[in-house]
Amino acid sequence: MTEHAHVNLESFVAEFEEKETGGRKPSGVPHLLLLLTPFVWSLFQLWVTSPVPYALGVGVFNDTAVRSLHLAFGIFIAFLGFPALKNSPRDRIPFHDWIFALAAAFCAAYLFIFRQELSARPGIPTSEDIITACAGTLLLLEATRRVMGLPMTIVACLFLAYVFLGPYAPDLLAHRGASISRAASQFWLTQEGVFGVPLGVSSSFVFLFVLFGALLEKAGAGDYLTSLSFALLGRFRGGPAKAAVLASGLHGLISGSSIANVLTCGPITIMLMKKAGFSAEKAGAVEVAAGSNGQIMPPVMGAAAFLMVEYINMPYSQLIKHALVPALLTYGSLLLIVHLEACKLGLRAQPVKSSLKNRVMGWLMGLSGLIAVMGLLHWLTAWIPALFGEYAKFVFGALLLAGYAGMVLLSTKYPIAQTKPGDDIMRLPPFRFIFFSGMYYLLPICILVWCLMTLEMSPGLSAFYACLSMAFIMLSQRPLAALLRKQPAWPEFRHSLALLAGSMVKGGKNMVGIAMATASAGIVVGAVSLTGVGQVLAALVETLSMGYLPLVLVMTALLAIILGMGLPTTANYIIVSTLLAPVIYNLSAAHGLALPLLAVHLFCLYFGVMADATPPVALAAFAASGISGGNPFLTGVQGFYYELRTAILPFVFLYNPEILLLNIQGGLHLAWVLFTAVLACACFAFATQAYMLTKARLWEIVFLLAAAVLLFRPDILHDRLYPPFALFPPDKVNECVASLGPGENMRLYLETDFGNGRVVDQVLVLPFTGTTAEERLESAGLVLGREGGNLVVEDVLVDSRTERLGVNMDDPTKVLGIEMPAERPDKNLFAAPGLLVLGIVLASQLRRRRRESA
């Protein structure tokens, strides 16, 4: 690393740390308060999430109280720890910041302090309520400016202004406005604004996951995962780049921040990539692409995933199951991309001492051991509760303690190896040495996944048990290892206690930004619900897109990327999903396409993540270039080029939700979906890198892109040759509606007369409940009748699905028929042309490679 690059890295890290924690470092009592407050905040969040208060019947807080105190802690730290201006003092806390901090904390805790009085007069705020709400909102905006910068503050202010200036807005955006009293109730005194779903998710789920990441990082799990990645992939062709991808993916298990991933893994991976032959810009870009995608890697996925759970009303265990395949595809594609880059550079794999037979046997034995352990765990989970009944939890605890003690004992027999900048990967110990040296770090991660996926606990409770197990490991691993080595344990215990306290403080400080972002985003959500701008925006977007859904998707992607240039991913996702996710979902239904709500929200999240790697404001690229010494803009451009695979996937799984493991019918179907998805990603990587077995020609690039499309979307040919629906006449509507099975939708073909000669045909996709045709139609909001020999819409129920899709009684609507699924061959057969095209390119590449080798 050059001296200039080293200075850039240090300055960027210092700037990043100041942005994350405020950078204010007073001495004396203020210093202790800045340490004690986040520490107490962490204890409070652990307490309210744990089952202990409910078991004891003491210290139970309801959701409103938790949100109120959560924001009070966060905003108090924001004013004390984050200076107002660049030239504000860092070594002391000015008097006015003390006043702001206390006033803001009081306003935030107002809902908790006066909870009984507020519950006695809902919707009737007093003058004190209004003053507190107005002061709290202004102080929140100032705290957000200090912590998150101007972009988030400006967005919140624009929506706040729109609430009051609605009568003066253009006709399309105009609304009747709101009084100060109404706005105060909406934004501060109810759960429809600042204290709404975003802040509720921050206080219920996100905090403990952030704390879990801080515990793992302080314990040394980050270094362990990086070393593990290098030991596994470092000796292969382009090994440092592949290890960077794997390390960032593993760090995604414990961190939801792109920049944090880059700064954690980058100092090692980027330097080793440069040493292997990658340019500074490409080395940085690989880390940018890998680090950014850490936010879409289950089981943590960043704070936005927990918000998604609330918005789409889906268990978190289901969400991470559906999001796993796209995340693995993005990382698998990036591994292939860096392999192709290594091939183009002529890099070679490092020689290994063991024979191919021994390596294969080692892998088979390791895989067999993993399967055996998983089988044993499954057996224990099934039989221990049956054998021991209510004492099963004590048996599980004893087994976990015994397993942990065995892991610590095993770790003392292997050297603790950590990869550092400048290390020679050839000198790393074998993979098993590094794996056994810290395998107990994987235990809390396994507990987290087990609680989420197998026991199906809530995300908050799962994270609580993961934090509890990680805290126990932090306190015990060093003393226990010292005892096993026959060394003094007390000094190690004191050191471990200090590490645990530091982790609690770090977890609290890391949450300040998320708390401010989610609270300010609540202003946007409150403004949307108060003004009804969502419906206006839907009409505006439909007008601009001319009802063309792909254009709406492109507009959504661009909005997410533009907002992401100044907003964190969490706030970006809240705003985009609040404004445009309903538009995409309803517009698709109005045009006869039933898009899964999960796919729509993941679409918004993916492009929020893309913003971190998109120039000109690509913060992850600036972090990577500070390490590599490369040009930040060129690093961002190259990183965006690598990230194209991530940008394509959301468009794919919107139209092909099988990639999200939706509508999967059996193991063979799942295997085929995964096989074609992997091949499609590989084709796209080959095409964008213009390299497969050798340099690709133009026609081969075109063929590879065509193969990727045909493998990802076999329904394109399928639907062209075999229409998915058959149209039945109006007389068959009741019969067809009654024959629909569970999970199917009604697809009514309507003709609406809007007057002035404007007649529009549309297919309405409507879910239903009930058994008879009348019950099902009414559940969707429709009442049909006869008029002049035609089947017409007699009535549309208020606030029904049909009304939200734009059908109303002011415009005469006639039913032209109903669409029912048609009999046709399996769409997966139509992936065959994609395989054929890929085979043609592969044959051409093989022939040319033989000639080049000769």
Side-chain angles (χ1 to χ4, degrees), residues 789-840:
N790 295 320
L791 187 64
V792 298
V793 177
E794 277 191 348
D795 192 16
V796 177
L797 302 184
V798 177
D799 199 31
S800 64
R801 171 76 169 160
T802 302
E803 186 186 53
R804 290 194 295 272
L805 292 176
V807 179
N808 56 69
M809 295 308 301
D810 296 334
D811 306 312
T813 301
K814 181 168 60 175
V815 180
L816 300 180
I818 182 171
E819 290 185 346
M820 296 291 289
E823 293 288 337
R824 54 185 189 155
D826 189 349
K827 76 170 185 179
N828 291 306
L829 297 174
F830 291 82
L835 296 173
L836 177 62
V837 172
L838 175 59
I840 293 171

Side-chain angles (χ1 to χ4, degrees), residues 348-400:
R348 300 294 179 188
Q350 300 288 349
V352 293
K353 297 178 181 179
S354 60
S355 64
L356 177 62
K357 178 182 177 181
N358 290 337
R359 295 201 303 273
V360 171
M361 288 299 297
W363 278 99
L364 289 176
M365 289 179 64
L367 183 61
S368 301
L370 178 62
I371 293 174
V373 169
M374 292 178 65
L376 178 62
L377 289 174
H378 180 74
W379 182 84
L380 290 174
T381 305
W383 283 97
I384 287 179
L387 291 174
F388 296 96
E390 60 181 6
Y391 300 103
K393 56 186 176 182
F394 300 107
V395 177
F396 276 123
L399 289 175
L400 280 175

Side-chain angles (χ1 to χ4, degrees), residues 732-756:
K732 298 286 186 180
V733 166
N734 286 339
E735 180 183 340
C736 291
V737 168
S739 68
L740 290 171
E744 294 184 292
N745 293 316
M746 294 183 288
R747 300 179 59 89
L748 295 180
Y749 188 29
L750 307 179
E751 178 188 89
T752 304
D753 186 358
F754 292 98
N756 298 323

